[in-house]
Every structure is written in structure tokens, then in C-alpha cells.
Amino acid sequence: MGVVNVTPDSFSDGGRYLDARAAIAHGEELRRDGAEILDVGGESTRPGAEPVGEAEELRRVVPVVEALAREGLVSIDTSKAAVAAAAIYAGATMLNDVTALRGDAAMAGLCAEREVGVVLMHMPGNPRTMQDDPRYGDVVDDVKAFLAERVEYALAAGIGEERLWLDPGIGFGKTLEHNLELLRRLGELRELGRPLVIGASRKSFIGKVDGSTVDERIGGSIASAVLAAAEGADVLRVHDVAETAQALTVTNAVLG
Ligand code: HH2
């Protein structure tokens, strides 16, 4: 899954693809590099990011989704049902909702009706508060219980189980140790019986390990992706698709 951020303020590539043409060209490049799904987002979820109004988010993402969905799979990264609805109309077949259907009461019904895939991600609180002293009993058990509860909620809303994908939300309300523990024990989340999505790409936990700035985290991102894949992750949400794809190809060649 390649990341297409149509935002001025995303933590790693904010402002680079705010213009629709630049975002579309970037998405096409990621697809050539090997991305099977393009995840288009118009609102940054980095800690402390300013919320974006619905009209502005629609303006950013709809033309990009429309163009990229003509040639392949597109997911829409949003927590607003109106944005999801417009993106689905424009051709998106998957919703990536960092609030796991808690942000907008209309979201679950929309997904059930339109029969799209849904990524349910773990995040305590919201992006503005999530890094305020996050605490868990056992981080893996707590994330697992949260995701199991969100699966029940989605099923009760009429979303087919086969459409659900689960994500522990690396960097969302977690300390460095929490993120490392989740990557180390990712395999335990397979017990939930649904495909796993992992987004570790360029995140600040890598910088906390080695002091790297956001532009210096490709090696750490690839290491995380390869380890996550080896632990059973099904979808890797990444910015650097070509490099990650090569690393996975070599990993697969070695491991068979
Ligand atoms: N991470 C980000 C955004 N959306 N969705 C899922 N399912 N999993 C993730 O780990 C995830 C996500 C943050 O990364 P990015 O989109 O590059 O930054 P920003 O939120 O600042 O736009």
C-alpha cells in the first residue's frame, strides 16, 4: 500500500503533493514501483495536527481518487463519512479509518451499504491527545482486545467479516517501547483471524531508536516492513514503495 498524502502538513511529505496533479503523478509512480493499493488522504493524523474542514478535505482528495481509481485499487484515508462517500463514488473500494469507525456515526452504515473493505486501526483517544502519556497493561493484549471489539461493532453494523482488515496503529498513542513490542509480537494479532495492515514507514519511533530525522528513516522503515511481513503482516503501508518492494522480493527469495 503506497501512501498518497494530499496535505500541506503530513509529517514526512507534507506539501509535496498538495496539488492534485502532483498527487496523481506520485500515485502513478508508486504503482509503477509496485504498490497494489494507493491510500489517498487529505488530513494529517500526526500528533497535534490541525483538523481539516470537510469541504477542504473533499477538494483535496476527490480528484486524486477519481484519477487513480481508473487504473487500480484505491483506499481513502479519512474519518469523515461525507469524504468517504464521495471517494467511494469516485472509485475507492476501501476505507482506511484511523478512528476504527468511532469518528463519524454515519461511517459504519455507509461501509455496510457500499460493501467496501475497511481498515480498523488502533488509536487511543484522537490525534491531538493520543501521545499524552500512553499507558497499557500489556500493549499487545490491549490492542488485540480493542480490535476485537471494533470487529464486533463492524459486524453488528452489517459489514461483512471478509471485508475487515486490522492495524495496530504504530505511532498512534504509543511510546517507543510500545511500538517495538507490537512489531516484535505482531504474530499474536493473527489470532484475530483477519489480514493485518502495518504502517511503520518513516515514523518517529525510528528516530527515537537512532536519532534519524524523517528524511533519514528509509533503512528503519524497510527493516520494520520486512520484520512485520515475516511476522505475518499482509499489507505494508509505506512511502518508499520501490525500496520496500525490493526488500520483500529478496526476503521472499531467501525464505521461499
Ligand atoms: N499512519 C498514518 C496515517 N494513516 N493508516 C493506517 N491504517 N495505519 C497507519 O499506521 C497510518 C494510517 C500516518 O502516516 P502519514 O499518512 O504518512 O502521515 P500523516 O498522518 O501526517 O499524513
Side-chain angles (χ1 to χ4, degrees), residues 65-234:
V65 169
E66 198 169 19
L68 293 175
R70 282 191 210 117
E71 308 292 335
L73 292 177
V74 169
S75 66
I76 176 68
D77 188 343
T78 189
S79 305
K80 297 186 185 77
V83 175
I88 293 166
Y89 188 74
T93 55
M94 185 180 274
L95 167 73
N96 177 26
D97 181 3
V98 298
T99 73
L101 307 177
R102 294 172 302 154
D104 187 326
M107 194 68 107
L110 170 77
C111 293
E113 191 192 317
R114 301 304 309 267
E115 300 188 335
V116 291
V118 181
V119 180
L120 299 171
M121 196 196 79
H122 174 269
M123 170 175 63
N126 62 55
R128 274 163 296 290
T129 60
M130 65 188 179
Q131 287 304 121
D132 298 346
D133 192 23
R135 284 167 196 253
Y136 300 91
D138 176 289
V139 66
V140 179
D141 290 350
D142 290 4
V143 166
K144 200 168 155 190
F146 171 97
L147 292 174
E149 188 276 325
R150 296 323 293 162
V151 167
E152 290 308 314
Y153 173 86
L155 296 179
I159 302 172
E161 185 171 12
E162 72 286 356
R163 298 191 190 283
L164 298 176
W165 305 61
L166 306 178
D167 185 334
I170 297 296
F172 286 86
K174 281 122 190 150
T175 63
L176 170 61
E177 269 316 312
H178 295 143
N179 289 312
L180 298 178
E181 183 86 6
L182 278 165
L183 285 171
R184 201 176 292 132
R185 292 168 54 199
L186 190 62
E188 293 178 38
L189 298 182
R190 299 210 61 75
E191 291 158 21
L192 293 165
R194 297 304 311 145
L196 298 177
V197 180
I198 284 286
S201 184
R202 301 186 187 171
K203 285 192 175 164
S204 65
F205 83 92
I206 299 168
K208 287 184 186 139
V209 170
D210 75 344
S212 54
T213 63
V214 73
D215 297 327
E216 299 168 341
R217 295 180 188 157
I218 290 198
S221 300
I222 292 175
S224 306
V226 167
L227 289 166
E231 273 288 295
D234 299 274

Side-chain angles (χ1 to χ4, degrees), residues 5 10-11 44-45 77 96 121 167 172 199 203 237 239:
N5 283 325
S10 286
F11 75 94
S44 173
T45 55
D77 188 343
N96 177 26
M121 196 196 79
D167 185 334
F172 286 86
K203 285 192 175 164
R237 183 183 181 281
H239 302 85

